[in-house]
Amino acid sequence: MIDTSELVRKLRTTGATRVALQFPEGLKRNAAGVASALKKAGFFVVISGDPCYGACDLATGLLEMVDLVVHFGHSPLDDTPCIIYDPYRMDFDPGVLGLAIPHLISTDIGLVTTVQHTHMVPAITEYFASRGITCHSAEGGTRAPDPGQVLGCSYGAARNCGQTEILFVGTGQFHPLGVQLATGARVVALDPYCRTVEVVSSERFLRRRFALIEVARKAKNFGIILTLKSGQQRRELAERLVALRDDAFLVALREVSPDELLNLGFSCYVNTACPRLAYDDQERFPVPFISPQEFEIVCGSRTFENYQIDEIT
Ligand code: SF4
């Protein structure tokens, strides 16, 4: 929930009078309500209408017309100035955690979740401790600084917990799949809102990626995508990949979308922007859209047995 009274209080302490609001796609419908509360409190408000999927894509361009940007739904990836974060914490009934117990085989487990629920890690740990299960949650690094926090581009907290069985608490299928691929651990995913529990299998995902790599092997040329979004930009990686083949070319752009890429006409694209684009959005692209590690397999510098999920470190 967005606590607008608390936000107004926080903004007043900064001395800002002109404020921009940036929401990820799933929270954009809150924009009008939050803007109205701030306007009533005397602030000049601008809403960023551009697409946003993470704190890797801050609306810093708006700082030309406002004092501060309030970014909702994520925690900081770096120390970009003049940004206030509201991670949009979400509670759930801890009783739902009991649904995971029959699916766990160990009494020592790793615990990971997304930023919406990291404030609940102590309560989750306590819940399992009282039932004889010890949860280990680790810090994942600067991109995901809360203990137990994972991002779609960063699974350090899962790796660092050092457990062979990991419980993911949260919504969606991508994060637990990423945890499984990044760690090789047995991963149990509990969705506390749908009240579903699943033991994650990456088999189908890997089969589809293998098929895609086989198609990519026949490509006439490769566009290596380099995004201009600073929090996703991996120039060194992109330049290293371009050097792997004579028929690979660097393509710099801001928004990575099928429409943008279609006219360029490459027969395969390699994604160095947000890792999730290559995995989640393949169906939207008319040609293979592969990860850096998949491109290495195509080039023969990595084997499929050493498949790795793409992360930004
Ligand atoms: S790069 Fe992708 S997964 Fe990582 S924070 Fe940005 S939008 Fe999220």
Side-chain angles (χ1 to χ4, degrees):
M1 289 297 293
I2 297 171
D3 183 343
T4 50
S5 314
E6 172 59 16
L7 181 58
V8 166
R9 191 200 59 73
K10 204 190 258 183
L11 288 172
R12 287 208 169 116
T13 64
T14 66
T17 57
R18 299 169 69 88
V19 176
L21 305 178
Q22 185 182 29
F23 298 85
E25 299 313 289
L27 298 181
K28 273 208 166 100
R29 288 190 176 273
N30 292 284
V34 176
S36 164
L38 296 193
K39 197 171 176 185
K40 275 190 200 131
F43 292 95
F44 171 82
V45 186
V46 185
I47 299 165
S48 168
D50 283 331
C52 168
Y53 300 98
C56 53
D57 186 18
L58 298 169
T60 47
L62 292 176
L63 287 170
E64 283 175 19
M65 55 192 298
V66 297
D67 307 316
L68 274 179
V69 174
V70 185
H71 180 95
F72 294 89
H74 306 108
S75 54
L77 295 186
D78 56 31
D79 52 4
T80 306
C82 303
I83 311 288
I84 284 185
Y85 295 86
D86 180 335
Y88 197 80
R89 306 289 191 188
M90 290 169 74
D91 292 337
F92 55 82
D93 168 17
V96 76
L97 296 167
L99 295 174
I101 292 176
H103 298 270
L104 296 171
I105 55 176
S106 173
T107 51
D108 266 299
I109 58 168
L111 172 63
V112 293
T113 183
T114 53
V115 72
Q116 272 68 51
H117 308 305
T118 50
H119 66 294
M120 292 189 73
V121 163
I124 298 172
T125 304
E126 205 178 302
Y127 178 94
F128 283 110
S130 69
R131 287 152 181 87
I133 297 169
T134 306
C135 293
H136 301 263
S137 40
E139 286 183 15
T142 49
R143 263 182 113 73
D146 292 355
Q149 182 190 355
V150 290
L151 277 174
C153 59
S154 176
Y155 300 100
R159 260 190 306 275
N160 296 344
C161 76
Q163 300 303 307
T164 53
E165 185 172 43
I166 298 176
L167 174 66
F168 169 83
V169 181
T171 54
Q173 297 184 328
F174 188 80
H175 290 97
L177 176 71
V179 170
Q180 206 285 318
L181 287 165
T183 61
R186 180 176 189 270
V187 177
V188 176
L190 166 68
D191 182 325
Y193 301 107
C194 296
R195 302 177 72 87
T196 54
V197 187
E198 196 188 330
V199 178
V200 177
S201 166
S202 51
E203 206 182 302
R204 186 161 165 261
F205 172 87
L206 288 174
R207 256 202 323 266
R208 287 163 65 176
R209 299 313 293 187
F210 182 81
L212 200 62
I213 290 167
E214 291 308 303
V215 178
R217 285 187 201 281
K218 299 182 190 104
K220 289 199 305 287
N221 48 29
F222 297 83
I224 312 291
I225 301 297
L226 176 66
T227 178
L228 299 178
K229 295 180 183 180
S230 62
Q232 299 181 10
Q233 193 179 95
R234 290 183 282 174
R235 210 173 110 190
E236 210 178 300
L237 170 66
E239 291 188 17
R240 180 172 69 73
L241 297 178
V242 164
L244 289 179
R245 292 178 72 116
D246 290 343
D247 54 1
F249 304 92
L250 205 56
V251 178
L253 74 173
R254 195 172 157 73
E255 282 306 325
V256 184
S257 71
D259 288 348
E260 300 301 331
L261 298 184
L262 199 60
N263 290 338
L264 285 163
F266 286 93
S267 46
C268 178
Y269 290 94
V270 181
N271 173 46
T272 70
C274 168
R276 291 198 60 169
L277 289 170
Y279 302 126
D280 287 352
D281 292 354
Q282 174 62 61
E283 281 161 22
R284 296 172 54 225
F285 289 87
V287 294
F289 190 41
I290 60 177
S291 72
Q293 295 77 9
E294 290 164 349
F295 183 58
E296 287 171 353
I297 295 171
V298 170
C299 296
S301 58
R302 177 189 291 273
T303 62
F304 195 75
E305 287 65 44
N306 291 320
Y307 190 93
Q308 246 180 25
I309 187 126
D310 187 24
E311 293 181 67
I312 301 180
T313 49

